Amino acid sequence: MSYFKFINQNPRTLFGVVNYVQNEKKTDLTAMYGFGVNPESAFEEMDTVKKLWNQTDGRQYKHFMFSFDSDITLSQKVIMDIGREIGEYYANEYQILMVMHSNTNNIHIHYILNTVNMFTGKKFSITKRDMYNYKLYINKILQSYNLSLIELYDDNAQNDTSLDHAFE
């Protein structure tokens, strides 16, 4: 089954997470895409936006991941197309580095979102309802490719009202 996950406990800096997802043992340049950034200079460009808006404190990025079923038989081009469609949801306001990893049994795509809005300087915030709507959007994409859908709720988090602002 495919799944989508926000990664909340990531101890890496923005520089560290960009280096992690771009590790040449896990990916290559053909499996990277940037929304509002060049993948080869994503850290520098995201850092520039943060400095421009004087938003260098607090959460520096939001990391999320989409993982395909282990028996996926799609070409890299189609997988990247799906990945781009998923990433477009926030790409009108935020810089996002998208990187596909194919070094495990499950091909998966990492998204590193700059938490500073490119046009307003406001910080990224997401509620449970926003997360649910994003997952609905992802399922529409998956359905258009006749792929299995992701779960809309996280059983561990469903009754946890503290999650409403846990992603700010």
Side-chain angles (χ1 to χ4, degrees), residues 103-122:
N103 64 320
T104 63
N105 290 339
N106 289 63
I107 294 172
H108 55 281
I109 298 176
H110 291 270
Y111 299 87
I112 308 302
L113 178 143
N114 183 355
T115 54
V116 178
N117 183 301
M118 295 181 289
F119 305 107
T120 67
K122 292 185 179 178

Side-chain angles (χ1 to χ4, degrees), residues 4 66 68 74 78-90 111 133-150:
F4 178 82
F66 178 81
F68 289 89
L74 302 172
V78 172
I79 290 170
M80 290 295 289
D81 288 345
I82 293 168
R84 277 190 289 274
E85 287 183 55
I86 290 171
E88 286 173 356
Y89 192 80
Y90 288 112
Y111 299 87
N133 288 336
Y134 191 26
K135 289 178 178 182
L136 284 176
Y137 170 82
I138 292 168
N139 276 343
K140 286 180 185 175
I141 294 166
L142 297 175
Q143 192 171 31
S144 74
Y145 286 89
N146 294 316
L147 297 172
S148 65
L149 306 182
I150 60 172

Side-chain angles (χ1 to χ4, degrees), residues 4 6-7 16 26 31 36 52-53 57 68 71 73 83 90 93 100-101 103 111-112 117 134 150 167:
F4 178 82
F6 281 94
I7 301 170
K26 301 172 190 223
L52 175 71
W53 290 104
D57 294 333
F68 289 89
D71 61 353
T73 58
Y90 288 112
E93 299 180 53
M100 182 185 79
H101 285 181
N103 64 320
Y111 299 87
I112 308 302
N117 183 301
Y134 191 26
I150 60 172
F167 304 105

Side-chain angles (χ1 to χ4, degrees), residues 123-137:
K123 286 285 206 135
F124 179 77
S125 177
I126 188 167
T127 64
K128 282 196 298 185
R129 179 173 296 284
D130 296 334
M131 230 184 328
Y132 177 81
N133 288 336
Y134 191 26
K135 289 178 178 182
L136 284 176
Y137 170 82

Side-chain angles (χ1 to χ4, degrees), residues 5-120:
K5 178 180 181 179
F6 281 94
I7 301 170
N8 295 314
Q9 302 299 324
N10 197 330
R12 291 181 174 96
T13 62
L14 176 60
F15 180 79
V17 76
V18 167
N19 280 338
Y20 167 76
V21 299
Q22 291 183 332
N23 183 317
E24 62 189 33
K25 294 178 183 172
K26 301 172 190 223
T27 193
D28 63 62
L29 278 176
T30 65
M32 296 182 203
Y33 187 80
F35 299 91
V37 294
N38 179 330
E40 295 183 60
S41 56
F43 167 75
E44 293 82 1
E45 292 177 43
M46 289 181 180
D47 193 50
T48 297
V49 167
K50 290 176 184 312
K51 289 175 180 171
L52 175 71
W53 290 104
N54 197 27
Q55 290 280 17
T56 56
D57 294 333
R59 185 182 294 265
Q60 297 298 297
Y61 63 91
K62 187 70 193 142
H63 184 180
F64 46 102
M65 183 179 72
F66 178 81
S67 180
F68 289 89
D69 289 332
S70 58
D71 61 353
I72 195 90
T73 58
L74 302 172
S75 70
Q76 178 175 321
K77 181 197 178 310
V78 172
I79 290 170
M80 290 295 289
D81 288 345
I82 293 168
R84 277 190 289 274
E85 287 183 55
I86 290 171
E88 286 173 356
Y89 192 80
Y90 288 112
N92 288 333
E93 299 180 53
Y94 298 93
Q95 297 167 303
I96 303 170
L97 173 64
M98 179 188 105
V99 181
M100 182 185 79
H101 285 181
S102 55
N103 64 320
T104 63
N105 290 339
N106 289 63
I107 294 172
H108 55 281
I109 298 176
H110 291 270
Y111 299 87
I112 308 302
L113 178 143
N114 183 355
T115 54
V116 178
N117 183 301
M118 295 181 289
F119 305 107
T120 67

